Amino acid sequence: MCSPEHFAVEYAINPWMDVTTPVDRDLAVKQWDRLRETLVGLGHEVHLLTPEHGLPDMVYAANGAFTVDGSVYGARFKHEQRAAEAAAHHAFYESQGWRFVAPSETNEGEGDFAYVPEAHGGLILAGHGFRTEIPAHAEAQEALGRPVVSLRLIDPRFYHLDVALAAIDDANVVYFPGAFSAASQRVLTQLFPDAVIADDEDAMAFGLNLVSDGANVVLNSEATRLAGKLKAAGYTPVPVELAELKKGGGSVKCCIAELRH
């Protein structure tokens, strides 16, 4: 995770960003701290990346890389405003001794990649349409040695896979069908017949931008309907308020890069 101490909405690179809407940075830090404390309280270890001046979106740490079984496929951001973030993530993984594969293709890390380790022997789900380019899917497959399933995103509000879909345990996912092309919806139905299906209201509340340890699902507190669906499916929803960070187009998952050793 990376503190939002330099967070601001100084440019607009997704439909949620509005440079005329003021950001309360102190509140953003307070809400982010609560998210970090929630993860620690659930028994997880949190590593911190040092925020850098001039990189207001560094708080969205999920976009900096994608890890599977101790290997890291690095990010290469689409927009120049975020490009320098990739080096900070690279340095972190190298300092931790991870095997790092530098990308040649445009991709935004866990923003557009999700890993479901026990689904069909271990699947990487990969989004494209707005940020990550399709050639990056093949590059990720070569880097990580896991089959990659490409999913086409069609609604600019759901510009990253992680605002439309999330793994909720080692074999299942939750997703919003309307974010995907008709063909990708059919693929998801085939792969995950027991998936939890979110509706438009859940998605617009950033409910899909969640993290789960297989039992506890940490999600945006505004996504009350989705919390109910997850509870009915046997999970424990853990709501967290992140209204300030939503102004940049991200929520719980965007703030968390999961380290899969």
Side-chain angles (χ1 to χ4, degrees), residues 67-204:
T67 67
V68 173
D69 293 344
S71 292
V72 188
Y73 176 52
R76 184 172 180 174
F77 288 87
K78 178 179 176 70
H79 295 102
E80 63 178 349
Q81 293 96 329
R82 299 195 65 186
E85 293 177 39
H89 288 271
H90 187 176
F92 168 80
Y93 288 106
E94 289 216 320
S95 75
Q96 299 288 315
W98 292 65
R99 170 183 168 263
F100 189 92
V101 180
S104 299
E105 305 294 343
T106 299
N107 82 90
E108 301 201 343
E110 285 198 305
D112 274 321
F113 290 107
Y115 186 48
V116 196
E118 291 178 13
H120 308 277
L123 281 186
I124 294 171
L125 304 178
H128 68 94
F130 298 101
R131 298 289 184 87
T132 296
E133 302 288 346
I134 286 183
H137 295 184
E139 192 173 61
Q141 182 167 279
E142 286 299 307
L144 301 170
R146 294 288 183 278
V148 174
V149 176
S150 294
L151 301 168
R152 183 169 163 242
L153 298 163
I154 59 167
D155 185 330
R157 297 172 302 175
F158 310 109
Y159 59 95
H160 271 156
L161 183 71
D162 72 358
V163 288
L165 176 148
I168 43 175
D169 58 32
D170 286 346
N172 204 10
V173 300
V174 56
Y175 68 96
F176 169 52
F180 298 93
S181 68
S184 293
Q185 288 182 42
R186 289 196 296 274
V187 169
L188 285 167
T189 300
Q190 182 178 333
L191 290 174
F192 302 102
D194 300 320
V196 176
I197 303 300
D199 61 24
D200 187 76
E201 189 177 315
D202 301 324
M204 291 297 287

